[in-house]
Amino acid sequence: MAVHHLLRRGISGSSPLRGLLLVSQELGRRPLSSASGDAAAELRGAREDVKQLLKTTSCHPILVRLGWHDAGTYDKNIAEWPKCGGANGSLRFEIELKHGANAGLVNALKLIQPIKDKFSGVTYADLFQLASATAIEEAGGPKIPMIYGRVDVTAPEQCPPEGRLPAAGPPSPAEHLREVFYRMGLNDKEIVALSGAHTLGRARPERSGWGKPETKYTKNGPGAPGGQSWTSQWLKFDNSYFKVVKERRDEDLLVLPTDAALFEDSSFKVYAEKYAEDQDAFFKDYAEAHAKLSNLGAKFDPPKGISLE
């Protein structure tokens, strides 16, 4: 799935935020305290600050992408942590940030670093997933049933190899989606539901190779103007993505090969048609799939995790 094209931005040969990354490497060494009361209080504080960040910057798409790309490297066929990849905070390291699919996510790290500094007991692994889920909810999406307490990896050597994240225009889009998401342990329903997050964000041709330089929906921002969105209201989480992909009537809205595959593949189409007609069904399935994705490859302290509800 082309989730990595949400607000994709280029990274130069050496990160402009090397100092930030060095700080992040050190801060990430502290695991969440198993004293769940203190940990929950810090997590709640971080969540409130993420909500304020979203109100002032409209950065919902890139925060969603941040959480997904940390978790989406998971390989169910590898038992050893952290070699299996997944939601372990490894995306804060420069070597992984510079993977092609992660272009621009250094900007997301820059946005949330002050929150990490303020709530140092919250791990990067948790903060990435908390920011992603909160962005969905604040954009009008469903409440995600999250648990926290993820442990961070501690060194760049623990980052997963490049190539585990999805591409947007592979030769066989449906086959590619299954190859990548089945490796994570996800099924066809979850693939289609998670694809619905393309209701948020834009693709930029100068950064991702996809989309128009600007459209009537993106020429005035918010944020940096330009790019091509999948939906007309690209900061609102709803089921309009499925309607757009099904109808394909608006040339200003983006449909990638991996988007089109949802209505071309017979198994995917069952769910895509359902979600186009029934937003409640989409929200229910999306919330479950997002929560599952956010836990992939995670090691929790305490082992049962921490609930904020």
Side-chain angles (χ1 to χ4, degrees), residues 46-54 63 115 127 130-131 134:
R47 184 169 63 183
E48 289 306 308
D49 279 17
V50 168
K51 289 180 181 179
Q52 291 304 311
L53 176 67
L54 291 163
L63 293 189
I115 301 174
L127 185 56
L130 181 149
T134 303

Side-chain angles (χ1 to χ4, degrees), residues 5-48:
H5 291 281
L6 291 175
L7 284 182
R8 186 166 178 176
R9 305 182 185 189
I11 300 179
S12 60
S14 61
S15 170
L17 297 169
R18 184 174 299 277
L20 165 68
L21 295 174
L22 290 173
V23 170
S24 74
Q25 291 169 18
E26 292 304 314
L27 286 173
R29 295 179 188 279
R30 305 189 191 112
L32 261 178
S33 166
S34 58
S36 59
D38 292 343
E42 283 218 86
L43 285 158
R44 288 192 181 96
R47 184 169 63 183
E48 289 306 308

Side-chain angles (χ1 to χ4, degrees), residues 39-57 59-60 63 111-112 114-116 118-119 122 126-127 129-135 137-138 143 148 308-309:
E42 283 218 86
L43 285 158
R44 288 192 181 96
R47 184 169 63 183
E48 289 306 308
D49 279 17
V50 168
K51 289 180 181 179
Q52 291 304 311
L53 176 67
L54 291 163
K55 289 176 182 177
T56 56
T57 64
C59 60
H60 305 67
L63 293 189
L111 284 170
I112 66 170
I115 301 174
K116 173 64 176 143
K118 182 177 177 181
F119 300 99
V122 177
D126 267 353
L127 185 56
Q129 300 310 319
L130 181 149
S132 182
T134 303
E137 295 167 10
E138 292 297 295
K143 180 77 174 175
Y148 297 99
L308 302 186
E309 308 312 320

Side-chain angles (χ1 to χ4, degrees), residues 1-6 167-170 173 198 203 208-211 228 230 241 245 248 253-262 264:
M1 183 169 54
V3 172
H4 58 287
H5 291 281
L6 291 175
H198 270 165
S208 69
W210 294 93
Q228 186 174 14
W230 285 264
Y241 161 80
V245 176
R248 297 208 214 177
L253 296 179
L254 182 62
V255 178
L256 297 170
T258 43
D259 300 318
L262 302 183
E264 294 167 353

Side-chain angles (χ1 to χ4, degrees), residues 35-300:
S36 59
D38 292 343
E42 283 218 86
L43 285 158
R44 288 192 181 96
R47 184 169 63 183
E48 289 306 308
D49 279 17
V50 168
K51 289 180 181 179
Q52 291 304 311
L53 176 67
L54 291 163
K55 289 176 182 177
T56 56
T57 64
S58 300
C59 60
H60 305 67
I62 202 170
L63 293 189
V64 172
R65 185 174 154 230
L66 179 69
W68 281 39
H69 281 221
D70 197 45
T73 60
Y74 178 66
D75 188 338
K76 68 177 183 180
N77 302 307
I78 301 174
E80 183 182 348
W81 187 91
K83 287 186 177 180
C84 59
N88 58 29
S90 63
L91 190 47
R92 74 187 188 275
F93 290 111
E94 186 172 16
I95 187 172
E96 188 172 344
L97 278 168
K98 290 172 74 173
H99 289 179
N102 292 330
L105 283 178
V106 69
N107 297 299
L109 183 63
K110 184 178 180 181
L111 284 170
I112 66 170
Q113 185 63 48
I115 301 174
K116 173 64 176 143
D117 295 342
K118 182 177 177 181
F119 300 99
S120 60
V122 177
T123 61
Y124 280 96
D126 267 353
L127 185 56
F128 294 167
Q129 300 310 319
L130 181 149
S132 182
T134 303
I136 294 291
E137 295 167 10
E138 292 297 295
K143 180 77 174 175
I144 313 294
M146 299 290 290
I147 59 170
Y148 297 99
R150 293 169 189 78
V151 176
D152 278 339
V153 297
T154 57
E157 293 75 26
Q158 296 171 305
C159 290
E162 187 164 7
R164 291 189 184 179
L165 293 170
S172 303
E175 183 179 328
H176 175 71
L177 288 174
R178 289 195 173 94
E179 179 184 353
V180 172
F181 283 87
Y182 284 11
R183 187 208 70 225
M184 297 182 207
L186 301 171
N187 60 32
D188 284 3
K189 180 174 78 170
E190 291 160 337
I191 291 171
V192 180
L194 290 171
S195 296
H198 270 165
T199 190
L200 300 177
R202 302 168 281 178
R204 295 178 181 273
E206 73 276 15
R207 297 165 183 169
S208 69
W210 294 93
K212 296 181 178 181
E214 72 172 28
T215 71
K216 61 188 176 187
Y217 303 116
T218 66
K219 64 181 180 180
N220 296 318
Q228 186 174 14
S229 57
W230 285 264
T231 63
S232 58
Q233 293 181 284
W234 49 270
L235 288 175
K236 179 182 179 183
F237 194 95
D238 57 21
N239 69 334
S240 60
Y241 161 80
F242 295 102
K243 296 178 180 179
V244 168
V245 176
K246 180 179 181 179
E247 296 171 357
R248 297 208 214 177
R249 294 178 182 170
D250 192 333
E251 292 187 354
D252 272 344
L253 296 179
L254 182 62
V255 178
L256 297 170
T258 43
D259 300 318
L262 302 183
F263 284 91
E264 294 167 353
D265 179 88
S266 59
S267 177
F268 289 158
K269 186 177 181 180
V270 172
Y271 302 107
E273 292 276 6
K274 179 181 180 181
Y275 298 153
E277 297 297 323
D278 188 342
Q279 181 168 284
D280 289 341
F282 167 51
F283 274 23
K284 177 182 180 295
D285 290 350
Y286 180 85
E288 292 174 358
H290 185 123
K292 182 175 178 179
L293 177 70
S294 75
N295 293 338
L296 295 180
K299 181 166 71 173
F300 287 91

